[in-house]
Each structure stands twice: as C-alpha cells, then as structure tokens.
Amino acid sequence: MHQRADGKSTNNKGNKLSNPVLTTETSESVIGRNETIRCISANGSLPITYTLFLNKTSIGNITVSERKNATFYVIIHHNSTGPYMCEANNTANKTKKSNTFNFVLKDELSNPVLTTETSESVTGRNETIRCISANGFLPITYTLFLNKTSKGVITLSQRQNATFYVIIHQNSTGPYQCKAKAANKTKKSNTFNFVLKDEVSNPVLTTETSESVTGRNETIRCISANGSLPITYTLFLHQTRKGDITVSEHKEATFYVIINHNSTGPYKCKANNTVKNDKYSKQFDFVLKEYLVNTSIISKSSVTAEGLKENLHCVSAQGSLPITYVLLRNGSDLGNITVTENKQAVFNINIANTQSLGPYRCRANNSVTNESLSEEFSFTFQGAVSSKVLILCILLPIFLIALILTTCLLIYKSRKGPIGILSINKMYEVQPAKETGTTDSMQERVYADIRPEEIDMEKQPEENYSIILFSENTGDKIVKNEDSVEYTEILVRGNNS
C-alpha cells in the first residue's frame, strides 16, 4: 500500500505484473562476442526485479525502479547460445516469465566469393558478377571494385548473392574484386578478369574453280577474317553437315569433296568460336561440265572440182558449251569457230588445186577438255585417175608390143630358117602426161637392119633380137645416148639343122 500526496492511502492490487519481454540486438552471434539481452515488463508495481536465466540457471538480476529495460551482457560461446529466459517479480510477490531465446551461432564474416556466368566476353556485352559470404552477421554490405574503384554497393539482410551488372569493353575486363562488410568486419574476395574475345566474322567460302566434272576431287576452303581462336568451321551440303575442322591459327579450313550430279551444291560454311555466335558464309554451287565426246568432220560429198567452194562441218556428240572448233589441213590451222549453242561449226573452203583436197581434220576443245580430234577427210577430183592407174596404162601397151614382136620373130624364124642376123630396132618415144590430164601419147619408130652374112652354126648359135628403146623427149628430138635410153634385148635361138 502506497501513501498518496494528500495523505490518503492507495491500493496497487489492480496494477498487475505483466510477462516480461526478452529482446536482443541480433539473432546471430559468433564465439567471443559480447551480446546484449534486454528484459522489461510493460505493467506492474515498481520496483521490479528481473532475473536472467540460461538453461534455467540464473546468471544475473537487476532491480529497476523505473519503467525501463533491465540490460544484461553475455559472452557468446558454444554453451552460451541459449535458451535464455527472463523472470520478473515485484513487492506484490508476483512472478512472471518471459519468452525464451536462442542465439544462432555464426562464424565470423568469411571472405566473399566472386562468380560470373562466363570467363570470356565480347565488347558491348552485359555481364553479371555475383558476390556472397557464406558466413557473417547480417546485414552484410557488398561493394564491387574495378581497378580499386568502387562500381556499386549492395546491402543484404538475407544470405543471398549480391548481383552486379557491368558492360564489357577494352577498359572494363578487370580486375574485379568484391568487399563484404558486417559487424565492423571487412573481408575481400578473389580478383577476376574477363577474357575479351572477338566474335567470328562471316566466313568466306572459296574454291579453285567454279566448274567441275563428274568424279573429280574438288577443294573447298573456309576462313573468317576476324574472331578469337580457336575457330571451328563446319561444311554443309544441302543443309547436311559434311565435316568439321577446328583451327588454332588464322588459316583456312580445307575440305575435299567428290563431284557428281548430287554433290554440285549448294555448299555453305559455318564458323564459331567460344563466344558461341554462329556465322555463315554465302552459298556456292559448282557448274557441272561434260567432256567432249566423238568429234567428227562432215561433208555432203567427197567429190569436188577445181574452183568450187565446199563446206566442212565440225560437231561433237557430247560436251559442255562453249566449244571451239579448229579446222586443220595437213596439221596446219585454217581457222577456228566457237559455238555457244548445240550446233555445228561450218567452215567454207575454196578448191584451188590438189593441195585443197586435204586431208582435213577437226580439233575441238572446251573448258574441261584440252582437245578432241576427228578422223581425217579428203576430197577427190571428179573423173581423176590415180597415178598407179596411169603408170599401168602406159606400161601395158609397151609390154604387149614387145610380146607381139617376139612372136613375129619366132614365126619368121620357123619359116625362113637361119640366113643371118635380123635386127629389128623399134624405138618408142613416151611423152609424159600434160597438165591438162590427157592420156600419155607414144610415138613409134621402127628400125630394121638385116645383115646377111655367113654364119657358122657350129661356132655361133643363131640369134634373133629386138631392141625396144624408152627415151626422154627433149623437144622434138629423141636423145640417143646410153644414159637416156633404156632397152630390152629379146633373143630368139633357133634349133641346129
């Protein structure tokens, strides 16, 4: 019972003691740290005595005569994290208990770990940098540094990553470092540098030729002018992968393909590197060419005459255009014609003399064939006689005359008997054929000498003979000398009487 100022007494039974409330500055702590625990009852007659318990063991008491917190100080270790409980009582012999509380024992602030999504980047790309400390009192303040210059500050009251965003260029690749601060403790992370990579440029696909033939091995090369190494090149045909080549130097990737009707294209090359941006080349198709086959020379007729103009046609059964035809006579080039359509090359020739008769040949070539030769072709003059026939026509009459003369001599000898020596001399002048093409003419001259004389048949056998002379015609004269006269001596021997 308390005395009022006017001398009347006051009854405090209606002012009941309420349950005290236990509070701390943090729910986490570390070994060796001093922590503050406060205890207060909102209602109750003063003075009030507060007693702090740890594991139901009293560790201190405080009596307050004002409505304020009773403040206790404890040192945290493994056996002093809790449970803590506060008990309040006053002069009315009333006792009330607070809630219980346990500290979460934490280690001291650990070094934060700095992480990124990739170690490589390219100019202009946004990159993410994260920083976190596994241990430490919350809240924790993280600061990101680039070249020891602060790039941003994030404070977290939960155990989670502090996430920073940076734009990469030549001067922002690093080094980056993260600093964590909590409960007046500061720790630093590892340092990190981005590797600045160049994206590959669109590769260029090249070949040694734009034209090919069936069965030929062709080379396809692919290269990007820019891009960080290594670069992987992939060759596609009809969107089907044909092969991969990875190069660690700035040089071409070389692919080999065999050409047929289904592999002329389109070809395309893809390039990529660790930056993971694919780039493609332009498409390319080979032009399939055909070899020249069966080149021939054609004429409407093989018979001609002097002064006429004749057409010779050159053509190939197969071959890619354009085709160049060359007309040859005795191996000499007479001219060429290039055709760009499937048609014959027509050559006009003048028949001037025997040299114009031939032989002729056609030579053809295109972009894939060096040359294709036709068979030979020759004209002949109308009504012309060959040299062999001409010689036969000259010699046959001569031998016939010789045979007749021999027969006559034999008949004469059988009728008259041997009275002497009969000498019949016949000379034939054989004139060469003129340029007009007329048949050779012969002029016959006969000389007969009879030399009657006594013949001793026992000493000398009887002889009949005829001399046929072939002489050169020099003007109107017959040259009679040993060098210019060819003769045949025919001897007829009679039987002894």
Side-chain angles (χ1 to χ4, degrees):
M1 183 177 294
H2 294 278
Q3 188 73 29
R4 291 177 53 178
D6 55 3
K8 294 180 180 180
S9 63
T10 302
N11 193 346
N12 289 327
K13 288 183 179 181
N15 194 359
K16 292 182 179 180
L17 182 67
S18 62
N19 292 92
V21 176
L22 187 151
T23 60
T24 62
E25 294 178 350
T26 179
S27 62
E28 299 174 345
S29 188
V30 294
I31 294 174
R33 175 177 290 177
N34 282 319
E35 296 292 350
T36 302
I37 300 176
R38 293 181 176 88
C39 192
I40 188 172
S41 292
N43 298 310
S45 299
L46 296 173
I48 300 174
T49 299
Y50 296 97
T51 305
L52 184 64
F53 291 87
L54 172 61
N55 289 321
K56 299 181 180 181
T57 300
S58 174
I59 59 173
N61 58 76
I62 297 174
T63 300
V64 297
S65 58
E66 298 178 9
R67 193 70 63 186
K68 64 180 182 180
N69 281 299
T71 304
F72 299 91
Y73 299 96
V74 295
I75 300 174
I76 301 299
H77 50 80
H78 288 287
N79 297 321
S80 64
T81 57
Y84 288 93
M85 187 268 295
C86 178
E87 185 181 271
N89 61 61
N90 58 9
T91 55
N93 293 321
K94 297 292 184 181
T95 301
K96 296 289 184 177
K97 295 181 179 180
S98 72
N99 55 304
T100 60
F101 173 81
N102 288 272
F103 284 101
V104 177
L105 186 61
K106 289 288 185 179
D107 294 332
E108 289 190 6
L109 182 65
S110 60
N111 291 93
V113 177
L114 187 151
T115 59
T116 61
E117 295 177 350
T118 178
S119 61
E120 300 173 347
S121 187
V122 295
T123 300
R125 177 180 289 177
N126 282 319
E127 296 292 351
T128 302
I129 299 175
R130 295 181 173 88
C131 191
I132 188 171
S133 291
N135 299 314
F137 290 108
L138 296 173
I140 301 176
T141 298
Y142 297 97
T143 305
L144 182 66
F145 291 88
L146 170 62
N147 289 322
K148 299 181 180 180
T149 300
S150 174
K151 305 299 293 184
V153 179
I154 297 174
T155 300
L156 297 175
S157 58
Q158 296 180 356
R159 192 76 59 186
Q160 64 185 38
N161 280 297
T163 303
F164 300 91
Y165 301 96
V166 295
I167 299 175
I168 300 300
H169 51 78
Q170 291 288 343
N171 297 323
S172 65
T173 57
Y176 288 94
Q177 190 177 43
C178 179
K179 183 178 73 174
K181 182 177 181 181
N184 296 322
K185 297 287 185 179
T186 300
K187 294 293 178 73
K188 293 180 180 181
S189 72
N190 53 304
T191 58
F192 175 82
N193 290 70
F194 285 101
V195 178
L196 189 61
K197 291 285 186 178
D198 291 329
E199 292 185 6
V200 292
S201 58
N202 290 91
V204 177
L205 188 152
T206 59
T207 61
E208 295 177 351
T209 177
S210 61
E211 301 174 348
S212 188
V213 295
T214 301
R216 178 182 291 176
N217 282 322
E218 294 293 350
T219 302
I220 298 177
R221 295 182 173 88
C222 194
I223 189 171
S224 293
N226 299 315
S228 298
L229 298 170
I231 300 174
T232 299
Y233 295 97
T234 305
L235 183 67
F236 292 88
L237 169 62
H238 297 301
Q239 298 181 350
T240 301
R241 187 177 66 85
K242 303 301 292 184
D244 300 287
I245 296 177
T246 300
V247 297
S248 56
E249 301 176 10
H250 279 295
K251 63 179 183 180
E252 296 174 324
T254 304
F255 300 90
Y256 300 96
V257 296
I258 299 176
I259 300 300
N260 55 45
H261 288 283
N262 297 322
S263 65
T264 56
Y267 288 93
K268 187 165 59 175
C269 181
K270 182 184 78 173
N272 61 36
N273 59 6
T274 53
V275 181
K276 302 299 182 183
N277 286 335
D278 296 340
K279 295 294 179 70
Y280 290 88
S281 70
K282 294 181 179 179
Q283 293 186 8
F284 174 82
D285 289 80
F286 285 101
V287 177
L288 190 62
K289 291 290 186 177
E290 294 179 334
Y291 288 107
L292 290 169
V293 176
N294 296 335
T295 299
S296 57
I297 185 169
I298 304 170
S299 176
K300 292 182 179 180
S301 175
S302 62
V303 178
T304 187
E306 274 190 45
L308 293 182
K309 290 185 178 181
E310 299 288 350
N311 291 333
L312 289 176
H313 301 256
C314 292
V315 66
S316 295
Q318 179 181 310
S320 297
L321 298 170
I323 301 173
T324 298
Y325 293 98
V326 179
L327 183 63
L328 304 173
R329 184 175 67 199
N330 290 320
S332 298
D333 186 344
L334 298 182
N336 63 79
I337 296 175
T338 299
V339 297
T340 58
E341 301 177 4
N342 288 322
K343 62 182 183 179
Q344 298 176 351
V346 182
F347 294 90
N348 299 314
I349 59 173
N350 295 321
I351 304 299
N353 49 41
T354 55
Q355 291 183 350
S356 303
L357 299 178
Y360 293 93
R361 296 185 81 174
C362 283
R363 184 179 69 201
N365 63 68
N366 63 3
S367 59
V368 294
T369 305
N370 288 334
E371 70 174 29
S372 175
L373 287 173
S374 70
E375 295 182 354
E376 288 187 345
F377 172 82
S378 296
F379 290 102
T380 58
F381 281 132
Q382 187 174 4
V385 182
S386 66
S387 59
K388 293 182 179 180
V389 174
L390 183 62
I391 294 172
L392 182 61
C393 292
I394 294 173
L395 293 179
L396 184 58
I398 296 174
F399 285 107
L400 288 175
I401 292 172
L403 181 61
I404 293 170
L405 290 175
T406 303
T407 304
C408 290
L409 288 175
L410 291 175
I411 294 172
Y412 179 81
K413 176 66 173 71
S414 64
R415 289 181 180 180
K416 299 297 183 177
I419 59 174
I421 299 176
L422 173 63
S423 175
I424 300 175
N425 296 310
K426 290 188 178 181
M427 297 174 60
Y428 297 88
E429 180 181 356
V430 182
Q431 297 180 354
K434 295 182 179 179
E435 293 182 356
T436 59
T438 59
T439 308
D440 296 339
S441 62
M442 289 191 298
Q443 295 181 359
E444 179 181 314
R445 297 181 185 181
V446 181
Y447 300 88
D449 296 326
I450 300 175
R451 300 194 303 273
E453 55 184 89
E454 294 295 331
I455 300 173
D456 186 351
M457 298 303 295
E458 294 180 356
K459 294 183 178 179
Q460 177 161 348
E462 181 180 15
E463 295 181 356
N464 293 334
Y465 64 93
S466 175
I467 300 176
I468 301 173
L469 295 91
F470 297 86
S471 64
E472 297 179 357
N473 186 3
T474 59
D476 296 331
K477 297 180 180 180
I478 298 175
V479 180
K480 299 176 180 179
N481 55 48
E482 294 179 356
D483 297 329
S484 61
V485 176
E486 297 179 3
Y487 64 90
T488 301
E489 185 174 16
I490 304 172
L491 299 178
V492 181
R493 296 182 185 273
N495 297 326
N496 293 331
S497 55

